């Protein structure tokens, strides 16, 4: 595969499996093109993306097609971000591997994060067989809740981070999958988990795990952000009022701000609106013209979710128009 040609902004869609409690009888509202692996039809509208994954796609297939090419870019010094968004219950956390189970996750269910770490650690090990260079891997874990960022690995995870210090986050060394599990467990226990009437485990916050690759001289080579966004469903379906209504507004603000930042970067504007949202503030160093950005839109097969599915696909369509043009760096 010629990764030199990888588009800087890529958009993929993944259809979730049927939720058993809603019944298996009805056909999916999503029709995939039998010929192309990147097209689908919903409600008589055609959509074309970089990839369109059916619900039968495996975690491994999704990783290999969508994320593995980013790891190549990471080791060339490019900032990389993979971001899942969509309605609650459509497999964002499952896809990104942002889950902590009491039982170890079976290999086939491993999501993006552990697979990505495995790839990165394998590369570092291979590099070190051939050179004396010592590369270090660390990771941070941040939650964004109601337009405030929380450092989930810090000793005071309940205090919002001061915006100007979003870049100085707590990092833990990652040398194994066990280290990653410990990081996820610590971070998850600190997360604000809030019930909605759609999914008892659903979270109204964005979660960002960032893997940092450090060179021997202490300089950061690049970072990979794995972002699990809060459910994008409209507030009317969550059954909350007040604070939760405000949360609903903030959830979409982050996604829209990413669009605006990338458009400003592509247009070469002098001022990039990073400060429009806390999500873009936290991701500022990774959203540059030297960045690779991958969106995974997670959608439901159920007809009762049609409105949310269309709104998720609309955002995906707008993201598909985004362009960045990273230049090969002299390293
Ligand atoms: P979200 O983060 O979008 O709210 P989850 O990732 O928590 O959704 O998924 C909801 C449930 O569906 C979880 O129990 C998850 O394990 C399961 N699930 C989602 N996608 C898949 C899939 N492709 N294969 C198997 N199980 C899945
Ligand atoms: Mg989730």
């Amino acid at each position: 595969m010629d990764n030199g040609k990888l588009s800087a902004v890529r958009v993929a869609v993944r259809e979730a499996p049927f939720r058993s409690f809603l019944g298996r009888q009805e056909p999916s509202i999503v029709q995939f093109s039998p010929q192309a692996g990147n097209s689908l039809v919903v409600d008589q509208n055609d959509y074309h993306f970089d990839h369109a994954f059916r619900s039968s796609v495996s975690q491994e297939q999704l990783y290999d097609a969508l994320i593995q090419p980013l790891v190549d870019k990471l080791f060339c010094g490019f900032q990389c971000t993979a971001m899942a968004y969509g309605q609650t219950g459509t497999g964002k956390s499952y896809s990104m591997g942002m889950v902590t189970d009491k039982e170890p996750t079976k290999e086939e269910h491993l999501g993006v994060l552990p697979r990505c770490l495995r790839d990165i650690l394998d590369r570092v090990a291979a590099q070190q067989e051939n050179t004396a260079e010592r590369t270090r891997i660390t990771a941070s874990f941040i939650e964004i809740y109601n337009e405030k960022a929380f450092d989930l690995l810090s000793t005071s995870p309940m205090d919002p981070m001061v915006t100007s210090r979003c870049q100085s986050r707590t990092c833990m060394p990652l040398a194994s999958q066990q280290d990653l599990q410990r990081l996820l467990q610590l971070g998850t226990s600190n997360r604000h988990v809030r019930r909605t009437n759609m999914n008892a485990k659903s979270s109204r916050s964005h979660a960002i795990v960032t893997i940092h690759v450090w060179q021997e001289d202490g300089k950061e080579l690049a970072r990979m952000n794995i972002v699990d966004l809060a459910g994008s469903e409209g507030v009317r379906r969550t059954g909350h009022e007040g604070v939760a209504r405000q949360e609903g507004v903030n959830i979409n603000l982050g996604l829209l701000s990413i669009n605006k930042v990338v458009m400003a970067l592509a247009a070469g504007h002098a001022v990039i609106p990073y400060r429009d949202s806390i999500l873009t503030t936290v991701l500022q160093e990774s959203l540059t013209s030297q960045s690779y950005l991958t969106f995974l839109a997670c959608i439901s097969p159920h007809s009762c979710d049609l409105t949310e599915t269309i709104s998720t696909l609309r955002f995906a369509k707008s993201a598909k128009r985004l362009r960045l043009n990273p230049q090969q760096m002299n390293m």
Side-chain angles (χ1 to χ4, degrees):
M1 184 173 171
D2 182 2
N3 285 331
K5 300 254 170 58
L6 193 73
S7 304
V9 181
R10 289 184 307 150
V11 181
V13 172
R14 182 184 208 177
E15 181 194 30
F18 278 90
R19 276 169 279 159
S20 48
F21 61 90
L22 287 174
R24 279 189 157 269
Q25 312 310 329
E26 57 168 348
S28 171
I29 57 168
V30 187
Q31 283 147 11
F32 290 86
S33 151
Q35 295 88 25
N38 63 351
S39 301
L40 50 93
V41 178
V42 173
D43 202 27
Q44 297 174 356
N45 285 308
D46 287 303
Y47 297 91
H48 305 280
F49 300 110
D50 295 288
H51 299 273
F53 297 111
R54 297 162 192 265
S55 61
S56 56
V57 74
S58 71
Q59 293 281 70
E60 184 183 14
Q61 287 167 326
L62 181 130
Y63 177 81
D64 287 351
L66 201 61
I67 308 298
Q68 200 276 328
L70 287 182
V71 177
D72 293 339
K73 294 298 174 191
L74 182 72
F75 279 87
C76 294
F78 293 102
Q79 312 298 336
C80 299
T81 300
M83 189 171 302
Y85 79 97
Q87 179 186 1
T88 296
T90 50
K92 297 182 295 296
S93 305
Y94 176 82
S95 299
M96 300 321 258
M98 300 282 237
V99 282
T100 46
D101 289 326
K102 289 193 186 71
E103 303 285 312
T105 307
K106 282 203 194 128
E107 167 69 28
E108 69 195 87
H109 291 299
L110 288 177
V112 162
L113 184 55
R115 286 177 197 273
C116 195
L117 177 66
R118 181 156 67 195
D119 247 8
I120 291 172
L121 292 178
D122 284 353
R123 259 169 211 257
V124 169
Q127 237 177 26
Q128 291 180 352
E129 273 183 13
N130 301 324
T131 66
E133 193 165 326
R134 292 283 165 262
T135 304
R136 269 189 331 117
I137 307 298
T138 66
S140 55
F141 191 178
I142 286 182
E143 174 183 49
I144 295 175
Y145 176 76
N146 225 5
E147 279 301 278
K148 292 190 178 68
F150 299 86
D151 181 346
L152 295 178
L153 305 181
S154 81
T155 48
S156 52
M158 295 305 157
D159 298 337
M161 296 167 80
V162 180
T163 312
S164 59
R165 301 196 51 209
C166 275
Q167 302 309 332
S168 59
R169 45 192 86 165
T170 310
C171 283
M172 276 170 59
L174 280 192
S176 66
Q177 294 294 337
Q178 288 76 9
D179 289 347
L180 176 62
Q181 276 311 308
R182 272 192 288 274
L183 177 148
L184 286 175
Q185 266 154 10
L186 172 63
T188 306
S189 66
N190 286 328
R191 275 187 84 174
H192 298 255
V193 177
R194 175 171 293 234
R195 278 173 180 268
T196 71
N197 61 9
M198 299 194 69
N199 178 342
K201 282 203 311 196
S202 97
S203 171
R204 304 290 299 163
S205 62
H206 307 308
I208 305 171
V209 172
T210 304
I211 301 180
H212 305 255
V213 181
W214 302 93
Q215 291 168 329
E216 192 165 23
D217 57 10
K219 275 219 304 256
E220 189 176 355
L221 172 64
R223 56 179 75 169
M224 168 83 80
N225 303 288
I226 310 286
V227 186
D228 180 11
L229 291 178
S232 58
E233 56 272 7
V235 280
R236 69 194 172 282
R237 293 187 65 168
T238 66
H240 285 300
E241 289 294 327
V243 174
R245 183 172 290 276
Q246 184 60 38
E247 287 167 20
V249 172
N250 291 338
I251 284 161
N252 297 323
L253 175 72
L255 265 181
L256 292 176
S257 314
I258 288 182
N259 255 8
K260 280 203 220 155
V261 162
V262 176
M263 281 193 280
L265 287 167
H269 288 175
V271 179
I272 309 296
Y274 292 112
R275 292 299 165 101
D276 277 10
S277 77
I278 194 75
L279 183 64
T280 44
T281 306
V282 166
L283 292 176
Q284 176 162 353
E285 295 198 346
S286 306
L287 294 173
T288 70
S289 51
Q290 297 297 320
S291 301
Y292 282 81
L293 187 56
T294 295
F295 291 97
L296 179 64
C298 295
I299 57 172
S300 157
H302 294 279
S303 56
C304 58
D305 294 325
L306 179 65
T307 311
E308 294 303 339
T309 298
I310 290 174
S311 102
T312 300
L313 289 171
R314 278 208 188 119
F315 178 82
K317 205 169 156 178
S318 70
K320 188 75 200 85
R321 294 195 203 103
L322 298 174
R323 293 278 176 272
L324 281 174
N325 190 17
Q327 304 295 313
Q328 203 59 49
M329 285 174 276
N330 296 322
M331 309 244 317

